[in-house]
């Protein structure tokens, strides 16, 4: 456990800790470009130079191990001058793109230039080395080689995290540039993390480019519902529209996000978003749709059944359980989902594409009900005449519904989710619009936080269930998400 002193403060750190990490433990920020806590140390940008007593030269803090008795200074005149020189060097060939660059506002070059340099360039703009700009590489990214400072974070990400190693540094000296290896494509399923790790605007997201200045974005911490991993995310939005989803690194689950998870938000703004009910194939206003649905359920009251959904929150599943038990007064309901879970690619993506099988099982533990197999058998035999469920969960009983001929009533957020043959569809607010509790494959409880408003008139699923029960002549008293959760968590 070496003990060292940084800017007059002494601390003890674990063996192997670098000077940069030790400074971080003290709350001292050492500027860096190539260093990333989840990638190997490359020590190429020289931005983290610090003064170490008894060392003849400045040392890179990211690649220097803390040693017993070391005395480090991070803010001397010598260090500040070195930072200015490094910035001048990095900016020599950097284009004057800030006004049109998507990284502006969150760019490492802009930030450190303002903090450490503010020097006027001594280099004539016309002598800058020109490199390729706007190169679409892979389905999600555009590369601007002129903006690159050759920190190699992107190269190391592909070599060390996805282990696909598609990128490399070509040429030497000021002709160096990042390129895709011959015959390779940048489609490793995690490519948008490259835009995140790039400290400048060299890699930009095709989806986000030119859509919004970053300083206008509001940030809402929430959870990805793209699979059972349940990565923590941050939704960036402005004036009711979502522009991007970023990772919220945490020790339990994720540093990165998969590309598919980042795109889940698209469904919120998709053209097929449901704001009305659908009876057979026709759109109708919400209240008549609820009334019609309730009377179809009442008609088959004795043979109605409810299937929860691993795509719904605990609150919404709990409301469906109340509908079955207290309004329909049936034992024909199931919240039993046992898909295989676990990380399937060694990085993040889960074997289970649904986010909340574990949460639905908590509803089962509190409310009982049939096993999935028992309900499936009843549906297949024709004993169930009407089934209420969520659109994606209905697909789990596709064959049984065909065999038994039950009338299908589903909740769906988008028209594309509606299963073929559904009799009635009711819209609901999705989890970018309403709070919900989810339990990931590790058993961790996580809550979504609404970032944008639902389409006018569209309410959370628990509230839609409450209305449906009223039309059937029962009050479930579900006037809040907490009321739905009572006795479950
Ligand atoms: S493209 Fe970005 S991440 Fe890659 S080397 Fe250049 S500056 Fe670094
Ligand atoms: S791994 Fe799953 S939870 Fe994580 S970002 Fe991808 S889809 Fe979302
Ligand atoms: S951060 Fe240390 S050399 Fe780049």
């Amino acid at each position: 456990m070496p003990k060292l002193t940084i800017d007059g403060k002494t601390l003890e750190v674990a063996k192997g800790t670098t000077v940069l990490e030790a400074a971080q433990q003290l709350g001292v920020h050492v500027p860096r470009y190539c260093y990333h806590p989840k990638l190997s140390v490359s020590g190429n940008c020289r931005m983290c130079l610090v003064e170490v007593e008894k060392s003849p030269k400045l040392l890179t803090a990211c690649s220097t191990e803390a040693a017993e008795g070391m005395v480090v200074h991070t803010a001397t005149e010598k260090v500040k001058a070195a930072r200015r020189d490094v910035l001048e060097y990095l900016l020599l060939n950097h284009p004057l793109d800030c006004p049109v660059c998507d990284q502006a506002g969150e760019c490492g070059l802009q930030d450190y230039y303002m903090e450490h340099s503010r020097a006027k360039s001594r280099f004539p703009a016309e002598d800058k080395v020109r490199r390729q700009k706007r190169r679409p590489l892979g389905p999600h990214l555009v590369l601007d080689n002129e903006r690159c400072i050759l920190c190699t974070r992107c190269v190391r990400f592909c070599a060390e995290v996805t282990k696909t190693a598609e990128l490399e540094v070509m040429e030497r000296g000021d002709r160096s540039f990042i390129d895709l290896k011959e015959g390779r494509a940048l489609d490793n399923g995690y490519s948008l993390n490259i835009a995140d790790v790039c400290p400048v605007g060299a890699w930009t997201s095709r989806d986000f480019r030119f859509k919004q200045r970053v300083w206008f974005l509001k940030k809402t911490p929430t959870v990805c519902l793209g699979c059972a991993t349940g990565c923590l995310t941050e939704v960036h939005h402005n004036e009711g529209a979502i522009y991007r989803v970023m990772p919220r690194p945490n020790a339990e689950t994720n540093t990165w996000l998969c590309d598919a998870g980042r795109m889940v938000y698209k469904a919120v703004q998709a053209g097929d978003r449901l704001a009305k009910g659908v009876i057979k194939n026709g759109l109708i206003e919400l209240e008549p749709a609820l009334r019609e649905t309730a009377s179809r359920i009442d008609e088959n009251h004795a043979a109605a059944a409810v299937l929860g959904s691993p795509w719904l929150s605990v609150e919404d599943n709990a409301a469906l359980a109340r509908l079955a038990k207290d309004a329909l007064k049936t034992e024909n309901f199931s919240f039993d989902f046992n898909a295989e879970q676990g990380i399937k690619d060694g990085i993040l993506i889960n074997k289970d594409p649904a986010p909340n099988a574990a949460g639905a099982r908590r509803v089962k533990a509190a409310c009982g009900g049939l096993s999935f197999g028992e309900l499936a058998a009843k549906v297949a035999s024709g004993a169930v005449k009407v089934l209420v469920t969520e659109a994606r969960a209905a697909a789990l009983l596709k064959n049984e519904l065909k065999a038994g001929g039950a009338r299908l009533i589903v909740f769906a957020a988008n028209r594309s989710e509606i299963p073929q043959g559904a009799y009635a569809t009711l819209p609901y607010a999705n989890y970018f619009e309403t709070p919900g509790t989810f339990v990931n494959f590790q058993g961790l409880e996580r809550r979504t936080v609404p970032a944008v408003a639902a389409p006018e008139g569209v309410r959370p699923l628990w509230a839609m269930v409450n209305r449906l029960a009223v039309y059937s002549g029962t009050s479930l008293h579900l006037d809040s998400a907490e009321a739905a959760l009572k006795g479950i968590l």
Side-chain angles (χ1 to χ4, degrees), residues 220-235 245-248 250 253-254 256-265 310-311 348-350 352-356 431-432 436-441 444 446-449:
T220 301
T222 186
V223 184
C224 177
L225 305 182
C227 72
T229 302
C231 296
L232 296 189
T233 63
E234 195 172 73
V235 173
V245 176
M246 303 288 274
R248 197 152 49 94
N250 60 98
T253 311
N254 66 298
W256 320 106
L257 291 181
C258 75
D259 292 341
R262 293 199 199 230
M263 294 299 146
V264 169
Y265 86 90
W311 281 273
L348 282 177
I349 298 173
N350 210 284
D352 183 358
N356 204 24
Y431 304 104
F432 287 99
T437 309
F438 289 78
V439 183
N440 82 345
F441 80 116
L444 299 171
R446 280 159 173 191
R447 287 187 173 74
T448 59
V449 178

Side-chain angles (χ1 to χ4, degrees), residues 17-20 52 59-66 70:
T17 305
T18 63
V19 170
L20 185 144
V52 178
L59 298 178
T60 47
C62 71
S63 60
T64 304
E65 209 172 289
M70 201 177 234

Side-chain angles (χ1 to χ4, degrees), residues 274-477:
L274 280 175
K276 290 182 176 178
V278 181
I279 301 293
K280 293 184 186 160
N281 276 325
L283 276 177
I284 69 167
E285 292 301 326
L286 207 47
E287 292 303 318
L290 281 162
R291 203 178 313 121
E292 167 66 13
T293 307
S295 45
R296 295 288 80 87
I297 295 174
D298 290 345
E299 241 172 47
N300 293 290
H301 203 270
V306 173
L307 174 67
S309 171
W311 281 273
L312 294 179
S313 67
V314 179
E315 291 83 341
D316 291 346
N317 273 304
L320 285 171
R322 295 279 307 278
L323 179 75
K325 282 172 74 113
D326 302 343
L328 304 176
K329 304 211 184 314
T330 179
E331 282 302 314
N332 287 340
F333 63 90
S334 177
F335 291 84
D336 177 36
F337 300 99
N338 287 304
E340 196 191 346
Q341 296 195 327
I343 303 297
K344 74 172 175 195
D345 61 356
I347 307 175
L348 282 177
I349 298 173
N350 210 284
K351 290 175 193 159
D352 183 358
N356 204 24
R361 285 199 297 274
R362 293 209 186 169
V363 175
K364 179 178 189 273
C367 304
L370 304 176
S371 71
F372 183 81
E374 287 166 338
L375 183 70
K378 285 197 173 195
V379 173
S381 72
V384 170
K385 299 287 180 226
V386 56
L387 177 75
V388 181
T389 186
E390 182 267 345
R392 286 158 293 180
L396 303 173
L397 288 179
K398 196 172 156 203
N399 296 335
E400 290 80 358
L401 283 162
K402 210 166 165 191
R407 186 168 262 171
L408 182 59
I409 290 167
V410 294
F411 289 91
N414 290 74
R415 204 163 177 154
S416 59
E417 292 172 358
I418 303 175
Q420 220 182 4
Y423 177 78
T425 304
L426 298 170
Y428 69 98
N430 71 33
Y431 304 104
F432 287 99
E433 300 159 345
T434 191
T437 309
F438 289 78
V439 183
N440 82 345
F441 80 116
Q442 298 157 300
L444 299 171
E445 254 176 53
R446 280 159 173 191
R447 287 187 173 74
T448 59
V449 178
V452 292
E456 206 180 328
V458 175
R459 282 166 283 184
L461 191 141
W462 56 261
M464 301 295 287
V465 167
N466 199 40
R467 292 288 298 154
L468 197 56
V470 169
Y471 276 113
S472 287
T474 317
S475 175
L476 294 177
H477 303 292

